Amino acid sequence: MDFVLIMIFKRSLQVKLLVLVLTGGLFSQLLLAQTVGLLKHETGASPSYTMFAKLGVTYLIDQGGQVVHSWQTGVQNTHPGYLMDNGDLMVVRKGVKRLSWQGDLIWEYSNQDAHHDAAVLPNGNVLLLIWGEKSRAEAIAAGRNPALLDSDLDPLVIHEVNPSGEIVWQWHVWDHLIQDLYPTKDNYGVVADHPERVDINFTFRTVPDWLHTNAIDYHPGLDQIMLSPRFNSEIWIIDHSTTTAEAASSSGGNSGMGGDLLYRWGNPVAYRAGTAEHQQTFGSHDAHWIADGLPGAGNVLLFNNGGTDYGRDGNYSTIDEFTPPLNGFNYDMGLTGRFLPEEPDWTFIGVPSESFYSSYISSVQRLENGNTFIDEGAFG
């Protein structure tokens, strides 16, 4: 039997869940390694609740490890979800459903192509990551190298859905591509001259989900969206203040750039502005803005998974925080042609470095007392 453990942690006014899937065998080995339950509670820990889920039940526990509340969600293997200010629980799995504190279903939206994460907007709408569908022929016409195609492509789409189940805003990465291999095909141009566009032939893997975006975050003050395309080892920011039509173009919105990338960070190789020595992120997860009222507010925090297969010089992870070079609703680029900063402001690393390593999933969050909460997901 498979077991699902979800760690949840307080982030500003919401609580975020992170999924850890453990096979029965791995779970048994974990029991031999440590006691299940509260392991440590020292003076100076940030006062908060923790939430986790297993086999269709979500639990909220206090700092003493006692269950203070639970929900019967009926969702066996969830992706991240959120606890709202009024006690409602937003569960993400092939769409989203909102449950009351008592566990009653308030509303639900289903989409089999929804994956990984969601972001709840102040008006109650939800941003969902969606796998788009493009055939092999469409991908080749768009400038994709046939040698980089296993079959079709599933490009990133974002849907904003309201509680009535209506899609009220959309963004498609397919509208913001570039390639420099085929002059007679779509999206032809000089990749290095267009950091605001995504090179359809820059790829880590040839699977249909060639970007593998694993996180989405929303900044209400900027009306912007942050994305974490893991296979690009990058962080992207786009404008949400656009109309859907503007989001498909290169003009409009607060930024004046429509749906083009306003900012990207972590791997300038992806837009021909650097070499491997300039890479900062390596298959990362949970990139997000630190929320207002928390130490480091407005900075970006992420779990930088690492690993030699993603280009890092060893199998270790780091937690990185950096200050995005915000200039109004846009972002500054350095004289090198790379988006600033050149390196993180703050990094947590294990001692020795390989002692802290999670090759996949995992998450991080800044707490109110200035501590940083880390979920080393691969090992529980």
Side-chain angles (χ1 to χ4, degrees), residues 23-321:
T23 65
L26 179 56
F27 192 78
S28 299
Q29 293 172 21
L30 186 63
L31 291 180
L32 295 175
Q34 65 183 43
T35 303
V36 174
L38 182 68
L39 300 180
K40 180 182 289 188
H41 180 192
E42 295 185 350
T43 301
S46 182
S48 60
Y49 293 93
T50 300
M51 191 158 56
F52 67 93
K54 175 185 173 183
L55 300 178
V57 183
T58 297
Y59 301 93
L60 187 67
I61 62 173
D62 62 18
Q63 284 194 298
Q66 300 299 308
V67 175
V68 297
H69 194 67
S70 64
W71 294 261
Q72 295 284 339
T73 66
V75 179
Q76 300 297 312
N77 297 301
T78 67
H79 289 83
Y82 298 88
L83 182 63
M84 311 309 295
D85 294 347
N86 66 350
D88 290 351
L89 178 67
M90 195 73 77
V91 181
V92 181
R93 173 66 177 174
K94 299 297 183 183
V96 63
K97 62 180 179 180
R98 185 163 183 158
L99 304 176
S100 71
W101 180 260
Q102 294 75 24
D104 299 322
L105 179 64
I106 298 173
W107 66 273
E108 182 175 14
Y109 172 77
S110 297
N111 187 322
Q112 292 300 305
D113 291 319
H115 63 93
H116 277 89
D117 198 7
V120 184
L121 303 183
N123 63 1
N125 292 353
V126 178
L127 296 171
L128 292 171
L129 300 172
I130 305 292
W131 282 309
E133 298 180 6
K134 296 294 180 182
S135 68
R136 179 182 175 86
E138 288 176 308
I140 292 173
R144 178 78 165 191
N145 183 347
L148 302 178
L149 281 170
D150 286 344
S151 55
D152 57 1
L153 280 185
D154 295 332
L156 173 64
V157 179
I158 301 172
H159 284 174
E160 179 182 342
V161 180
N162 67 20
S164 298
E166 299 172 299
I167 300 172
V168 297
W169 184 85
Q170 298 183 56
W171 179 88
H172 298 249
V173 73
W174 206 252
D175 296 322
H176 306 281
L177 300 177
I178 192 166
Q179 57 89 16
D180 57 6
L181 295 181
Y182 309 104
T184 61
K185 295 181 180 179
D186 295 343
N187 308 306
Y188 182 73
V190 179
V191 172
D193 291 345
H194 294 279
E196 77 282 3
R197 291 185 166 263
V198 177
D199 183 359
I200 193 174
N201 291 311
F202 181 81
T203 183
F204 173 74
R205 292 180 180 168
T206 59
V207 296
D209 182 21
W210 98 93
L211 295 172
H212 197 74
T213 306
N214 58 38
I216 184 169
D217 192 41
Y218 178 74
H219 193 298
L222 297 173
D223 201 5
Q224 293 178 0
I225 296 168
M226 185 178 297
L227 302 163
S228 176
R230 173 169 162 85
F231 289 169
N232 263 41
S233 289
E234 287 191 283
I235 294 153
W236 295 346
I237 295 178
I238 62 173
D239 196 341
H240 176 260
S241 70
T242 60
T243 65
T244 293
E246 290 172 336
S249 74
S250 298
S251 63
N254 293 332
S255 66
M257 293 180 61
D260 283 344
L261 303 189
L262 306 182
Y263 180 66
R264 58 199 307 176
W265 191 82
N267 190 11
V269 179
Y271 55 101
R272 312 278 179 85
T275 63
E277 66 178 310
H278 301 113
Q279 186 174 346
Q280 298 288 337
T281 55
F282 307 87
S284 61
H285 279 78
D286 195 36
H288 63 273
W289 284 282
I290 298 175
D292 289 346
L294 299 176
N299 287 353
V300 176
L301 192 64
L302 63 120
F303 194 109
N304 202 348
N305 295 77
T308 55
D309 54 337
Y310 280 92
R312 182 164 259 173
D313 59 358
N315 290 327
Y316 62 93
S317 300
T318 58
I319 304 301
D320 293 318
E321 177 184 350

Side-chain angles (χ1 to χ4, degrees), residues 321-347:
E321 177 184 350
F322 67 90
T323 305
L326 186 66
N327 184 357
F329 290 101
N330 298 86
Y331 296 83
D332 289 332
M333 185 178 288
L335 297 177
T336 60
R338 295 187 290 273
F339 280 104
L340 299 172
E342 291 288 350
E343 58 185 23
D345 299 331
W346 174 81
T347 294

Side-chain angles (χ1 to χ4, degrees), residues 337-376:
R338 295 187 290 273
F339 280 104
L340 299 172
E342 291 288 350
E343 58 185 23
D345 299 331
W346 174 81
T347 294
F348 168 82
I349 188 171
V351 181
S353 58
E354 290 78 8
S355 66
F356 175 56
Y357 179 51
S358 179
S359 62
Y360 64 104
I361 57 175
S362 308
S363 196
V364 62
Q365 184 204 341
R366 181 59 41 80
L367 303 179
E368 292 180 353
N369 65 353
N371 291 347
T372 302
F373 186 96
I374 300 169
D375 173 26
E376 189 181 3

